[in-house]
Amino acid sequence: MRAQSLRRVKLVRSCGVLAGTLALAACAGQVPPDTGAAPPLPSLLGGPPAGATPAAPATAPVALLLPLTGTLAPVGQVLDNAAKLAFGGAGGPMLDVRDTGSTPDGAAAAAHAAIAAGDGLILGPLTSAEAHAVAPIAAAAQINVLAFTNDSSIAAPGVWALGVTPAQQVQRVVQAASAAGRTQLAALLPDDQFGHSLGDALSAAAPGSASAVYYAPGSFGALNQAVRQVSDFADRGQPLEDQIKAAQQQNDSAGQAAAQQLQHQPIPPPAFNVLFIGATSGDTLQEIATLLPYYMVSQPQVQFIGPALWADATAAMASGGVYNGALYAAPDPAAAAAFATKYQSAYGGPPPAVAEVAFDAAAIARVAAGSGGYGAATLTSPSGYSGADGALVLEPNGQVLRGLAVFQVTPSGPVITSPAPAQVTAPTS
C-alpha cells in the first residue's frame, strides 16, 4: 500500500519555458560549445569590453529593496554590501536603498516609495513572496525589476529572477547526462516547494522515454519507501525471490543447490539509467546512500545527478563512495573570484553565495545606466553579460539564461567535467 505522503507523477516528453525562496525552461536556453571565438561580453566585474562607447548615462536613481530589518536582516546586509561594491566609483547612478522589513507588505511599501521618489529601476527584493508583491506595482509604473529570488514563476516582461533557478540547474545537468547517452530518467525529490520546482523542471527537461518522479518527506521510513518504489524493486526482484523460495521448499539437495545458484543471479536493472536526487542536506544524502545499494540501484549502471546545492554537501557525499561519479550543475566558482577578492578586501570576510546575485544585478544596472538607460531593450542585450555567477542573458519574456558548469563528485572533491560556456543563447525553435 502506498503512503499518502508519496506522490507519483509521470514525466512528459516536452520542451518549453517553465515557470522560491532565498534558500534558495527546460530548454530555457541552448548552451553552445565554447569555441573561444565568441565576442567578449560586457563584464560585470570590470566594465564593458575595451573600445565600447556607451551612451549618455541614465540619471534616474536605482532602487535597492532589501530586508534590512526583520528575520532576514543579516542576509539583507550582505546584499547591501555586494550591491554597493558594484556601484563604487564615480559616474554611476545613485543607489536608493529601501527596507522591506522581510515581508511582502514591506516590500510593496518600499516599491511604492521608490517609484514616488523617481527611481528608474528596482533591484530586489529578496524572496519569492516579496517579489510577487512588488511585480504588479512596478509593472503599473512601467519600472523594470531585477529580483534576487530563484523563483522563475515571477518571470514576465520587465521582471527577471536573477537567482540560479531549479530549471536552469536541471536543464544543464540533464543535458550533460543525455549527451552521455543517459536518457531514461527517474527522480527522488523532497516533498517541499524546492522539490516540486525541480519536478516541474524535470517534467519539461526529460529527454527520451521517462520513468517517474517520487516525492517524499525527510523521514527515513518515507525515504525507504520512496527508494523502493522508484527502484521498482518488487517487480525486478520478486520473480527471482519466488524461484529461490520454490527451490528451497523442495527440501532436498537438488533444491538447495538450485536455490544457492539462483541467489547468485543478478537482479534485472531498473527501467531508468539516470536518477535525479533532489536531497541537499548531507544527512539525508547519506541516508539515501544506504538505501540505493540495498534496492540494487548503483553507479555506473545508473548515473546519479542532482541540484546545485550539492556543492555544499560534497564532503558528505564522498563518504562511502556511493555518489562518486555523480553530477550536478552550478556556477563555476572561478567566475566569482574577482568579486570575492573585492568583497574580502572591502568587508574583511568572504562573501556568501547569495551576494553574487546582488552584485550582478547592481552591475547590470550600472552598465545599463551608461548604455542607454533601464529600458528592456537595453537590459535584454542578446549578447548578455559576464558576471560573478558566469554568463547570463535576460530575455524579453522575463526568463534568464545562464551558463552553468557540470561538476562530478570525487573522493578528493568536485571536479568540472563540462565547463561553463562563455556565452549562452536563446533556443532557435
Side-chain angles (χ1 to χ4, degrees):
M1 178 79 65
R2 178 191 206 97
Q4 292 182 351
S5 60
L6 297 175
R7 297 179 53 203
R8 189 172 188 269
V9 181
K10 288 290 185 182
L11 293 178
V12 294
R13 299 178 62 183
S14 64
C15 183
V17 178
L18 293 179
T21 58
L22 164 67
L24 257 190
C27 301
Q30 295 176 344
V31 182
D34 183 6
T35 62
L41 305 183
S43 172
L44 303 182
L45 297 164
T53 306
T59 56
V62 173
L64 178 61
L65 309 188
L66 295 176
L68 299 177
T69 59
T71 57
L72 296 174
V75 181
Q77 187 57 60
V78 168
L79 299 173
D80 186 40
N81 290 344
K84 286 176 177 175
L85 274 184
F87 266 63
M94 186 184 81
L95 193 59
D96 181 16
V97 183
R98 295 186 179 270
D99 182 19
T100 68
S102 303
T103 68
D105 288 345
H112 280 301
I115 292 167
D119 295 351
L121 177 68
I122 292 175
L123 308 182
L126 174 58
T127 68
S128 172
E130 289 177 325
H132 278 287
V134 166
I137 298 168
Q142 297 184 323
I143 301 295
N144 290 321
V145 178
L146 303 181
F148 300 154
T149 178
N150 68 349
D151 179 10
S152 61
S153 71
I154 70 164
V159 182
W160 294 268
L162 289 194
V164 179
T165 69
Q168 292 161 354
Q169 302 166 39
V170 165
Q171 189 268 339
R172 181 69 169 103
V173 74
V174 167
Q175 180 189 61
S178 178
R182 305 299 185 118
T183 59
Q184 308 298 316
L185 177 66
L188 178 67
L189 305 176
D191 194 10
D192 56 21
Q193 183 177 2
F194 178 65
H196 285 272
S197 295
L198 291 172
D200 289 342
L202 284 163
S203 295
S209 299
S211 182
V213 172
Y214 286 84
Y215 297 93
S219 70
F220 186 80
L223 287 174
N224 178 57
Q225 185 179 359
V227 175
R228 179 180 174 86
Q229 289 181 319
V230 76
S231 72
D232 198 21
F233 185 76
D235 289 342
R236 291 165 54 216
Q238 194 62 52
L240 183 59
E241 289 180 2
D242 290 344
Q243 293 178 51
I244 293 171
K245 184 177 181 181
Q248 290 172 336
Q249 288 175 343
Q250 293 179 19
N251 291 323
D252 55 26
S253 59
Q256 295 304 313
Q260 271 195 339
Q261 186 174 13
L262 287 168
Q263 286 172 348
H264 290 88
Q265 286 191 11
I267 291 177
F272 51 89
N273 59 15
V274 57
L275 177 65
F276 192 103
I277 301 170
T280 57
S281 78
D283 288 345
T284 303
L285 284 163
Q286 287 183 332
E287 288 178 341
I288 293 172
T290 66
L291 295 167
L292 290 169
Y294 182 80
Y295 292 114
M296 302 298 178
V297 179
S298 61
Q299 299 184 114
Q301 189 178 66
V302 175
Q303 173 68 62
F304 298 154
I305 61 176
L309 286 173
W310 274 11
D312 298 327
T314 52
M317 294 176 71
S319 175
V322 170
Y323 294 109
N324 287 340
L327 304 176
Y328 65 92
D332 182 350
F339 163 66
T341 299
K342 282 185 177 183
Y343 193 99
Q344 176 88 33
S345 176
Y347 304 112
V354 68
E356 295 162 12
V357 177
F359 178 85
D360 280 356
I364 288 172
R366 186 179 175 105
V367 169
S371 303
Y374 310 126
T378 302
L379 295 172
T380 60
S381 170
S383 63
Y385 308 90
S386 177
D389 275 332
L392 71 158
V393 171
L394 309 185
E395 293 198 285
N397 63 1
Q399 295 295 329
V400 178
L401 310 183
R402 280 197 175 273
L404 302 178
V406 176
F407 296 79
Q408 184 178 65
V409 177
T410 76
S412 58
V415 297
I416 292 177
T417 59
S418 179
Q423 195 161 3
V424 288
T425 60
T428 56
S429 60

